[in-house]
């Protein structure tokens, strides 16, 4: 219990640091002229590549291979993450596509297209006494599938102008150099460096958080410098918050219903609902930079992800502990 309390306190600190970065961007925004002293964008670019390199090095290949046979559970989780979740947002597209709120809709669709989280999914499933092995498998596989699926889903609604082919080529190049290639290199050297990476996993996790914080700071700095928020009505934030929380409950309960209809064991139902309803702030922050999203729109795309991340962290941690207590009473 002390370990779990430590994990959640660190997560809470990280959320406070995210808020701090937004406040810093407001009070001390990073201007382009500062690049002559420290090139923040270049540092973030290299940081993104390193994160995905380390992701390949950290991947537990034995756990992935061991749990392949539980294919029905894996299929439900990945279908929820990359098909059901985006579809729930897509059904409103015909009513939004020609309106002034299209970019707001697209930012929520971006959230829906992201892969699941890794660390928090596994921790939450463990607390709730779910199938931890399958959680590890699906959290790991989700990130790899997301490299293809997230850009693919977003490509249907982005770059609709005459220069779309050039933009798509540049986006593909960015994905290849910053995401796919580092992961492949990491997987190749996984057998040699896995123990070393595991040994220093705490430091590596802090580096991941640092890059995310810098991405948030840079994006919000640009937004404040360009006066983006002055053009965004307050109700937009309310719409985003309501939409992402509604999405969470819709996906969670739909996944639970499907898992029960498929006659999954209780452990697998917990894993399906927790992994299927999660979205990754790490991937969201990184894909904002590699999908060719305009600078004045980056904050709009980050907001739903940050709101969802905060909500899923606090609510699901409470839910996981509640389920664990219920399961303990049943055993007794």
């Amino acid at each position: 219990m002390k370990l779990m309390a430590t994990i959640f306190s660190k997560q809470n600190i990280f959320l406070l640091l995210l808020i701090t970065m937004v406040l810093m961007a407001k009070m001390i925004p990073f201007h382009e002229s500062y690049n002559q002293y420290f090139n923040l964008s270049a540092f973030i670019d290299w940081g993104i590549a390193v994160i995905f390199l380390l992701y390949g090095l950290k991947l537990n290949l034995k756990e992935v291979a061991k749990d392949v046979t539980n294919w029905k559970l894996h299929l439900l989780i990945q279908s929820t993450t990359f098909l059901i979740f985006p579809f729930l947002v897509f059904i409103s597209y015909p009513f939004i596509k020609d309106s002034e709120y299209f970019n707001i809709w697209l930012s929520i669709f971006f959230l829906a297209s992201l892969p699941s989280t890794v660390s928090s999914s596994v921790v939450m499933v463990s607390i709730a006494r779910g199938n931890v092995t399958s959680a590890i498998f699906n959290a790991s596989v989700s990130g790899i599938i997301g490299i293809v699926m997230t850009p693919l889903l977003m490509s249907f609604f982005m770059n609709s102008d005459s220069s779309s082919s050039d933009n798509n080529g540049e986006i593909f190049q960015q994905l290849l150099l910053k995401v796919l290639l580092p992961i492949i290199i990491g997987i190749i050297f996984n057998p040699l460096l896995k123990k070393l990476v595991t040994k220093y996993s705490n430091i590596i996790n802090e580096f991941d958080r640092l890059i995310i914080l810098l991405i948030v700071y840079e994006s919000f700095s640009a937004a404040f410098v360009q006066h983006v928020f002055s053009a965004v009505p307050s109700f937009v934030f309310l719409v985003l918050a309501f939409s992402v929380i509604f999405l969470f409950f819709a996906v969670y309960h739909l996944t639970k219903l499907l898992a029960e209809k498929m006659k999954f064991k209780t452990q697998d139902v917990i894993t399906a609902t927790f992994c299927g309803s999660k979205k990754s702030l790490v991937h969201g922050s990184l894909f904002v930079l590699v999908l060719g999203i305009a600078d004045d729109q980056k904050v709009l795309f980050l907001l739903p992800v940050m709101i969802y991340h905060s909500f899923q962290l606090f609510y699901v941690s409470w839910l996981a502990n509640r389920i664990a207590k219920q399961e303990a009473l049943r055993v007794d």
Side-chain angles (χ1 to χ4, degrees):
M1 291 300 293
K2 288 183 179 179
L3 175 61
M4 295 306 173
T6 301
I7 290 171
F8 288 121
S9 64
K10 285 183 178 180
Q11 293 283 15
N12 294 339
I13 290 171
F14 181 63
L15 290 174
L16 291 174
L17 287 173
L18 284 173
I19 297 171
T20 302
M21 289 298 102
V22 175
L23 294 175
M24 280 186 60
K26 171 64 175 177
M27 296 183 291
I28 316 172
F30 190 90
H31 295 267
E32 287 188 16
S33 59
Y34 297 169
N35 283 324
Q36 60 182 314
Y37 307 108
F38 177 72
N39 194 325
L40 181 60
S41 297
F43 183 81
I44 290 173
D45 284 345
W46 280 104
I48 291 171
V50 171
I51 284 177
F52 282 105
L53 172 67
L54 292 170
Y55 182 83
L57 291 172
K58 288 187 293 183
L59 198 62
N60 193 325
L61 300 177
K62 291 182 180 179
E63 290 287 350
V64 171
K66 186 169 66 176
D67 203 53
V68 168
T69 54
N70 200 358
W71 64 271
K72 287 185 180 179
L73 175 59
H74 308 329
L75 183 62
L76 176 60
I77 293 174
Q78 301 307 323
S79 296
T80 300
T81 302
F82 295 110
L83 296 177
I84 295 175
F85 214 124
F87 178 75
L88 289 175
V89 181
F90 174 74
I91 55 179
S92 63
Y93 175 71
F95 308 100
I96 300 293
K97 62 179 181 178
D98 296 322
S99 73
E100 58 185 309
Y101 305 113
F102 173 74
N103 283 334
I104 298 173
W105 176 89
L106 188 59
S107 70
I108 299 172
F109 186 80
F110 171 69
L111 164 70
S113 304
L114 292 173
S116 178
T117 60
V118 178
S119 57
S120 61
S121 287
V122 176
V123 170
M124 301 298 184
V125 169
S126 177
I127 293 172
R129 302 184 179 185
N131 186 334
V132 176
T133 303
S134 290
I136 294 170
F137 176 89
N138 281 281
S140 302
V141 169
S142 179
I144 296 173
I145 295 174
I147 295 170
V148 176
M149 285 300 296
T150 300
L152 177 64
L153 289 167
M154 291 298 291
S155 69
F156 292 115
F157 306 102
M158 293 179 63
N159 300 321
S160 58
D161 56 17
S162 58
S163 62
S164 60
S165 59
D166 294 334
N167 290 333
N168 284 329
E170 184 179 347
I171 291 168
F172 177 79
Q173 183 181 20
Q174 292 293 316
L175 287 169
L176 179 64
L177 294 176
K178 295 180 184 178
V179 180
L180 189 58
L181 184 60
I183 281 187
I184 292 172
I185 294 173
I187 291 173
I188 291 171
F189 288 96
N190 184 289
L192 294 174
L193 301 176
K194 178 74 167 63
K195 290 183 179 179
L196 183 65
V197 171
T198 302
K199 182 180 178 180
Y200 295 102
S201 59
N202 290 334
I203 297 174
I204 290 170
N205 290 337
E206 295 304 321
F207 178 77
D208 291 357
R209 294 187 180 97
L210 171 64
I211 297 300
I212 295 169
L213 291 171
L214 290 177
I215 290 171
V216 170
Y217 172 66
E218 183 190 43
S219 299
F220 275 83
S221 289
F224 285 120
V225 169
Q226 297 170 17
H227 306 289
V228 170
F229 288 106
S230 61
V232 179
S234 300
F235 83 92
V236 168
F237 297 98
L238 296 176
V239 169
L240 288 174
F242 174 81
S243 298
V244 300
I245 292 172
F246 173 80
L247 269 175
F248 171 85
F249 284 110
V251 171
Y252 180 87
H253 289 293
L254 182 56
T255 307
K256 185 177 182 180
L257 177 63
L258 290 172
E260 290 172 347
K261 289 287 185 182
M262 296 171 73
K263 302 187 185 303
F264 284 174
K265 297 177 182 177
T266 302
Q267 285 187 326
D268 287 349
V269 172
I270 292 170
T271 303
T273 52
F274 279 28
C275 292
S277 62
K278 289 292 185 70
K279 289 296 179 180
S280 172
L281 175 64
V282 174
H283 288 83
S285 301
L286 303 181
F287 276 123
V288 160
L289 298 185
V290 297
L291 284 179
I293 295 171
D295 289 342
D296 61 350
Q297 294 292 319
K298 285 178 181 176
V299 167
L300 184 62
F301 280 75
L302 275 175
L303 278 174
V305 185
M306 292 175 65
I307 294 170
Y308 193 91
H309 174 80
S310 304
F311 178 78
Q312 74 181 8
L313 192 62
F314 288 115
Y315 179 78
V316 178
S317 63
W318 170 82
L319 187 62
N321 282 284
R322 180 187 171 196
I323 292 173
K325 288 178 182 178
Q326 290 175 344
E327 291 300 314
L329 290 174
R330 287 179 188 176
V331 173
D332 295 339

